[in-house]
Amino acid sequence: PELAAGRAQALVELLSRSFEADGVPVCVGCSIGVAFSPVCGVTPDELYRAADAALYRAKSSGRGCFSLADGPAETGAAGAPGHPAHLSG
């Protein structure tokens, strides 16, 4: 998880740098959710759901954040991402 957190943070910082496109200043940003196999699941769908739930947590923390899932994602009655325990940066 520490390596993934470092890589996620590096990506957030890299994508947050402003640049120019055709002389126009451009600023972009990102939020990142990370899931690990087998802790968060083994199928692509399980990993996608866990990473998606972590991404929603990162987005709710504000701009330029990431969140690491450390368990399977849970779905509510409407199929919305749940809130597995996580580390966030």
Side-chain angles (χ1 to χ4, degrees), residues 51-61 81:
D52 193 46
L55 174 60
Y56 276 90
R57 280 194 308 280
K59 287 181 175 185
S60 71
S61 297

Side-chain angles (χ1 to χ4, degrees), residues 2-40:
E2 293 81 19
L3 178 61
R7 298 278 169 90
Q9 184 63 43
L11 279 172
V12 166
E13 291 172 7
L14 178 67
L15 293 172
S16 297
R17 294 181 188 159
S18 61
F19 60 94
E20 286 192 14
D22 293 328
V24 177
V26 178
C27 296
V28 296
C30 70
S31 297
I32 299 174
V34 180
F36 303 94
S37 180
V39 174
C40 299

